[in-house]
């Protein structure tokens, strides 16, 4: 059982307890534990197998009884406590929780006041107008709910990349342990590092396919096998994700890897180029088209084979450079690869620091010292502590006074951890009128100001755009964080004109964030391409709420690569010296602007 699945049981418990009207402390205990488990870098099952005692690891929110709950989930797949609450509540209540905008609080209201316990009953209540009698369910929120239900029913389920990683890694390890595997790779959208994946496509070569295929079907997480042959199998894991395994002859491993990595649009363009070169390119290999024949008339292995064992064979045959999988979306990579002008994509080694971090002062789970130490361990030159401002009440946002006190703790961390520069910062809330939630004199004192929208995310397009444009014009602003506010599979992006936002950010020399939280990844790849074109500086930030989450940087980098970003586009690849020069320039400018306005 994977961490995501354990976390899922815990947070389900929290939600249902809240609906049932349980004490809020107990609810939060489950919710916090879920977050901790989800962000661990090692599977809990593995920790336990290594003989570690969960109770003694001092994980945030995991005390004695929570540790026992987790062990119970690992053993039984669920919790007795969860089954007991379920008995008391309607069986289909979970459906409601999946609707965007319906958290446990509002679900509780629907259930308590109107006895609504399923999507069907909710739809009936929407039709009959019964809902309007409830507090907090105005026309706007009713319309929103209708759309959300529609999306939910229509949308095929896709898995966040982080979840896919956590599900596929142990499977691969398991397959390898069985022996006999020579080459193995997960292709498809997973290899292209898309923010979500529909299913997993594993390719392998091996001595003998049968035992490997057998082992695949026998994996403990398999819920059902939907197709099985000696070289191709499909299973659905307990988490609901589908996995295909294809075992290939060595001579076509490379061409199959290329084909099944996709994307489809990229493949079609490559195949077409092949035809122009007198070649037939398919998953079976690269073949010369005999005179007088057409590529599409050929059998799968007809003609002279000129490659297929290695992926490079495909690209070389049509005079292209090898294209990193993240770029294979037919967005210009083919032309660039022909001209040997592919971007030199950013990589983890380029990152020098993290500029958006939370601590226990607000909704973070680690102390400032722990965050700084963890950044140091990652080899960073700098990091910035950026806790929330007071308007973000749910996160325990800080007042001016709090920020001053926090400064002392930052000083202490600086004194204790050498070799890394700790910048003082904040994540200031952009209020609905576009002003910032902290006074200018405090903002001026900070090394760096991250700003973001946290409330009234449903403003209309022009109001939201104006709100953010006004904030961008504030001279103290350094980085605009999670610009669209979307949460993958949970909340749609807000309505905002990013084109105008990017232009304003460039004009005011404000960096725009690529938030690396796996459920945000905001900006997305397409936005990044545009930001790059316009020339906006990008900051890849983890927005880490615990030291464990610093590793989310890699998801930011994946997304950045999909947006064609190079080192030069990203400010947290700058050396400390250069970063400081940029921050200074901005501060001088802000001083100047203030002077001008006097
Ligand atoms: P997903 O699973 O929805 O996240 O996205 P992919 O890209 O992994 O798509 P999937 O699993 O349906 O297929 C894997 C790859 O196989 C896909 O990226 C490209 C290739 N492929 C699948 N169907 C076609 C097709 O009809 N034509 C071509 N040229 N390639 C295809
Ligand atoms: Ca796939
Ligand atoms: Ca597939």
């Amino acid at each position: 059982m994977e961490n995501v699945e354990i976390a899922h049981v815990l947070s389900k418990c929290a939600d249902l307890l809240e609906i049932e009207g349980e004490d809020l402390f107990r609810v939060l205990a489950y919710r916090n534990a879920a977050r901790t488990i989800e962000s661990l870098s090692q599977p809990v099952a593995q920790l336990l197998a290594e003989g570690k005692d969960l109770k003694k690891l001092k994980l945030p929110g995991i005390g004695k009884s929570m540790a026992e709950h987790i062990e119970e989930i690992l053993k039984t797949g669920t919790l007795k406590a969860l089954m007991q609450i379920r008995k008391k509540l309607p069986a289909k209540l979970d459906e409601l929780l999946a609707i965007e905008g319906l958290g446990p609080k509002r679900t509780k209201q629907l259930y308590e006041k109107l006895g609504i316990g399923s999507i069907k009953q909710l739809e009936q209540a929407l039709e009959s107008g019964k809902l309007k009698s409830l507090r907090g369910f105005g026309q706007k929120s009713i319309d929103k709910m209708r759309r959300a239900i529609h999306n939910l029913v229509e949308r095929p389920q896709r898995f966040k990349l982080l979840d896919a990683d956590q599900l596929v890694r142990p499977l691969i390890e398991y397959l390898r342990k069985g022996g006999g595997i020579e080459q193995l790779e997960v292709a498809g959208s997973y290899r292209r590092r898309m923010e979500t994946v529909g299913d997993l496509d594993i390719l392998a070569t091996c001595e003998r396919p049968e035992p490997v295929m057998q082992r695949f079907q026998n994996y403990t997480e398999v819920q059902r096998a939907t197709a099985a042959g000696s070289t191709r199998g499909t299973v659905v894991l307990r988490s609901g994700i589908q996995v295909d395994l294809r075992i290939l002859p060595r001579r076509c491993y490379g061409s199959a890897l290329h084909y099944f990595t996709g994307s489809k649009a990229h493949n079609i363009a490559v195949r077409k180029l092949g035809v122009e070169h007198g070649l037939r390119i398919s998953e079976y290999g690269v073949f010369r088209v005999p005179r007088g024949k057409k590529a599409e008339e050929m059998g799968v292995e007809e003609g002279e084979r000129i490659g297929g064992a290695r992926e490079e064979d495909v690209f070389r045959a049509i005079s292209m450079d090898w294209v990193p999988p993240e770029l294979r979306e037919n967005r210009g990579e083919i032309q660039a690869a022909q001209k040997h002008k592919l971007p030199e994509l950013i990589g983890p080694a380029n990152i020098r620091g993290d500029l958006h971090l939370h601590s226990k002062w607000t909704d973070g789970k680690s102390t400032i010292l722990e965050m700084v130490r963890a950044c140091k361990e990652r080899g960073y030159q700098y990091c910035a502590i950026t806790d929330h401002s007071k308007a973000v009440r749910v996160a325990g946002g800080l007042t001016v006074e709090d920020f001053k006190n926090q400064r002392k703790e930052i000083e202490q961390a600086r004194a204790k951890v050498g070799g890394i520069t700790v910048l003082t910062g904040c994540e200031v809330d952009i209020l609905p009128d576009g002003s910032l939630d902290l006074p200018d004199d405090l903002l001026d004192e900070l090394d760096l100001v991250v700003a973001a929208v946290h409330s009234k995310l449903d403003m209309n397009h022009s109001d939201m755009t104006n709100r953010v444009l006004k904030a961008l014009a504030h001279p103290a602003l350094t980085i605009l964080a999670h610009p669209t506010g979307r949460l993958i599979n949970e909340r749609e992006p807000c309505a905002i004109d990013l084109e105008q936002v990017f232009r304003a950010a460039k004009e005011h020399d404000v960096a725009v964030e690529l938030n690396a939280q796996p459920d945000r990844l905001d900006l997305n790849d397409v936005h990044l391409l545009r930001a790059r074109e316009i020339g906006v500086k990008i900051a890849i930030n983890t927005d880490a709420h615990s030291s464990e989450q610093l590793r989310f940087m890699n998801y930011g980098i994946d997304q950045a690569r999909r947006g064609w970003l190079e080192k030069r586009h990203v400010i947290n690849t700058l050396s400390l010296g250069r970063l400081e020069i940029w921050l200074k320039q901005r501060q001088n400018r802000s001083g100047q602007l203030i002077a001008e306005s006097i």
Side-chain angles (χ1 to χ4, degrees), residues 538-553:
I538 300 290
I540 308 179
N541 296 331
T542 63
D543 190 2
H545 283 67
S546 70
S547 53
E548 284 278 345
Q549 291 189 350
L550 291 174
R551 73 194 168 92
F552 290 166
M553 185 58 80

Side-chain angles (χ1 to χ4, degrees), residues 269-323:
V270 164
R271 197 189 312 144
K272 189 158 157 266
L273 261 177
V275 171
E276 287 167 22
H277 282 74
L279 300 170
R280 176 181 156 93
I281 298 174
S282 73
E283 62 264 48
Y284 298 97
V286 184
F287 302 90
R288 216 177 286 290
V289 181
R291 261 175 208 289
K293 264 239 158 150
K294 285 199 173 131
E296 58 269 27
E297 294 166 351
M298 284 164 60
V300 292
E301 299 220 34
E302 202 183 320
E304 184 200 349
R305 169 186 287 277
I306 62 165
R310 296 178 321 143
E311 194 177 50
E312 295 86 75
D313 297 349
V314 174
F315 294 112
R316 191 169 317 126
I318 46 179
S319 309
M320 273 169 67
D321 290 340
W322 181 84
V323 181

Side-chain angles (χ1 to χ4, degrees), residues 158-159 187-192 194 196-201 242 244 246 256-269 271 283 328-329:
R158 296 186 63 83
F159 289 76
S189 50
Y190 178 86
R191 185 164 177 239
R192 303 200 310 280
M194 269 181 81
T196 62
V197 305
D199 71 353
L200 292 164
D201 309 278
Q242 179 180 308
D244 289 339
R246 289 183 171 82
L257 180 57
H258 176 265
Y259 179 86
F260 289 107
T261 296
S263 64
K264 193 170 160 182
H266 169 93
N267 286 354
I268 291 172
R271 197 189 312 144
E283 62 264 48
R328 300 186 196 171
E329 299 289 347

Side-chain angles (χ1 to χ4, degrees), residues 196-384:
T196 62
V197 305
D199 71 353
L200 292 164
D201 309 278
I202 305 181
L203 307 179
T205 61
C206 51
E207 280 294 321
R208 285 174 45 233
E210 290 82 5
V212 174
M213 202 44 92
Q214 197 57 53
R215 190 171 166 82
F216 176 61
Q217 312 272 350
N218 290 342
Y219 184 46
T220 53
E221 295 297 315
V222 169
Q223 192 179 51
R224 61 198 154 93
T226 59
S230 63
T231 57
R232 163 133 199 232
T234 300
V235 299
V236 177
L237 301 184
R238 272 195 266 182
S239 54
I241 202 163
Q242 179 180 308
V243 189
D244 289 339
L245 173 64
R246 289 183 171 82
I247 298 174
L248 302 153
R250 288 175 204 114
R251 66 177 184 284
C252 27
Y253 180 71
S255 47
L257 180 57
H258 176 265
Y259 179 86
F260 289 107
T261 296
S263 64
K264 193 170 160 182
H266 169 93
N267 286 354
I268 291 172
V270 164
R271 197 189 312 144
K272 189 158 157 266
L273 261 177
V275 171
E276 287 167 22
H277 282 74
L279 300 170
R280 176 181 156 93
I281 298 174
S282 73
E283 62 264 48
Y284 298 97
V286 184
F287 302 90
R288 216 177 286 290
V289 181
R291 261 175 208 289
K293 264 239 158 150
K294 285 199 173 131
E296 58 269 27
E297 294 166 351
M298 284 164 60
V300 292
E301 299 220 34
E302 202 183 320
E304 184 200 349
R305 169 186 287 277
I306 62 165
R310 296 178 321 143
E311 194 177 50
E312 295 86 75
D313 297 349
V314 174
F315 294 112
R316 191 169 317 126
I318 46 179
S319 309
M320 273 169 67
D321 290 340
W322 181 84
V323 181
E326 295 91 332
L327 297 183
R328 300 186 196 171
E329 299 289 347
N330 198 22
R331 293 181 184 147
E333 76 280 7
I334 295 189
Q335 295 73 8
Q338 284 179 303
K339 290 190 218 137
H340 312 295
K341 284 198 171 143
L342 282 168
E344 212 170 289
L345 295 181
I346 185 169
N350 298 131
I351 299 293
R352 300 283 177 81
D354 200 327
L355 299 175
H356 181 171
L357 303 173
H358 294 275
S359 76
K360 278 194 170 168
W361 280 79
T362 54
D363 55 347
K365 299 279 172 278
S366 306
T367 62
I368 292 176
L369 184 62
E370 285 163 347
M371 292 304 281
V372 173
R373 283 212 166 114
C375 284
K376 169 95 191 271
E377 265 168 39
R378 291 183 68 88
Y380 289 164
Q381 292 185 355
Y382 49 84
C383 62

